[in-house]
Amino acid sequence: DAKTTQPPSMDCAEGRAANLPCNHSTISGNEYVYWYRQIHSQGPQYIIHGLKNNETNEMASLIITEDRKSSTLILPHATLRDTAVYYCIVRAPQGGSEKLVFGKGTKLTVNP
Amino acid sequence: KAGVTQTPRYLIKTRGQQVTLSCSPISGHRSVSWYQQTPGQGLQFLFEYFSETQRNKGNFPGRFSGRQFSNSRSEMNVSTLELGDSALYLCASSLVAGGQVNEQFFGPGTRLTVL
């Protein structure tokens, strides 16, 4: 699975958009970009995933560059409850494993 | 529908003891994965079970083992506990529909403290 690079921490004002970047320059053609987040002392929570098109769901939007070497997770109106560690993970759908490889993620702090 | 449940939520053991942790996946999910989370190493994959068979294993010593039952519930066991085994142990379940990208649903974890 391709490795990802994320900033260790970011701050965002409540009500503003939070834009979390992720670099995955060695991504392969069949690898998806997944985002999970982990609120303190809880299990990680799935947010969104995409292959090459931009994706949006009720939680967030995922913007993937045309060359697929980087992506941005957007929380359109961040709230205090969005304070968490956000993990960007790249992996191919595998028939033989559901393994996720977590990096250190980005600790997002939403400030009032 | 009910989420992934893990029991117990907290556990205190002493060095040399063994421990068994339990995970009940979301109904219908056939894959159960286990992860260890520590401040120093972060989230690390332990192993995954699918249809009662271990089909992937992380880089952990043989003291860490697991199994899955016919109802997809899973247990993991750690024998001869060491201080370094103190961690949050997370279980995740996944539907595993062939060829599709599956999201994983995590439980709240079991906080193990080894004294």
Side-chain angles (χ1 to χ4, degrees):
Chain A
D1 294 335
K3 291 186 177 179
T4 61
T5 304
Q6 299 178 253
S9 64
M10 294 183 64
D11 285 278
C12 177
E14 189 177 19
R16 304 295 295 269
N19 298 285
L20 293 92
C22 178
N23 284 317
H24 31 78
S25 58
T26 60
I27 191 170
S28 299
N30 66 337
E31 290 181 315
Y32 285 72
V33 179
Y34 291 71
W35 283 84
Y36 283 77
R37 73 179 182 183
Q38 186 175 25
I39 296 170
H40 183 62
S41 295
Q42 297 182 21
Q45 176 190 25
Y46 165 83
I47 301 173
I48 198 167
H49 74 270
L51 183 61
K52 50 186 175 183
N53 298 321
N54 298 337
E55 302 288 344
T56 296
N57 62 19
E58 66 278 3
M59 289 183 67
S61 294
L62 174 60
I63 308 298
I64 303 174
T65 58
E66 192 169 342
D67 63 7
R68 303 210 321 122
K69 293 185 177 182
S70 65
S71 60
T72 301
L73 178 74
I74 301 173
L75 307 178
H77 306 287
T79 70
L80 299 179
R81 287 174 295 182
D82 292 322
T83 292
V85 178
Y86 287 77
Y87 297 98
C88 170
I89 299 169
V90 172
R91 69 181 290 265
Q94 300 174 30
S97 176
E98 296 297 296
K99 174 184 176 182
L100 293 175
V101 178
F102 288 85
K104 297 187 183 301
T106 296
K107 180 172 173 52
L108 174 69
T109 302
V110 181
N111 300 302
Chain B
K1 54 184 176 182
V4 178
T5 58
Q6 293 186 246
T7 57
R9 292 292 311 279
Y10 302 91
L11 204 51
I12 299 175
K13 291 286 189 178
T14 56
R15 280 181 299 173
Q17 288 187 309
Q18 75 164 22
V19 66
T20 298
L21 311 182
S22 181
C23 172
S24 292
I26 291 173
S27 178
H29 285 195
R30 297 186 297 167
S31 167
V32 174
S33 298
W34 289 88
Y35 294 81
Q36 181 197 65
Q37 185 171 28
T38 60
Q41 299 299 316
L43 270 157
Q44 292 187 288
F45 173 80
L46 278 158
F47 30 64
E48 181 205 354
Y49 286 87
F50 178 77
S51 293
E52 302 179 62
T53 301
Q54 186 184 92
R55 65 175 185 175
N56 203 349
K57 188 177 188 302
N59 188 25
F60 279 83
R63 300 184 297 107
F64 292 82
S65 63
R67 60 178 175 168
Q68 187 180 33
F69 302 95
S70 58
N71 62 357
S72 293
R73 189 177 70 85
S74 177
E75 290 181 347
M76 68 162 282
N77 183 277
V78 188
S79 62
T80 319
L81 283 167
E82 300 177 0
L83 295 179
D85 296 334
S86 294
L88 180 67
Y89 289 88
L90 292 156
C91 164
S93 78
S94 179
L95 179 62
V96 186
Q100 295 183 18
V101 175
N102 302 292
E103 61 187 85
Q104 290 198 36
F105 295 83
F106 284 80
T110 294
R111 173 75 61 184
L112 172 65
T113 302
V114 182
L115 303 176

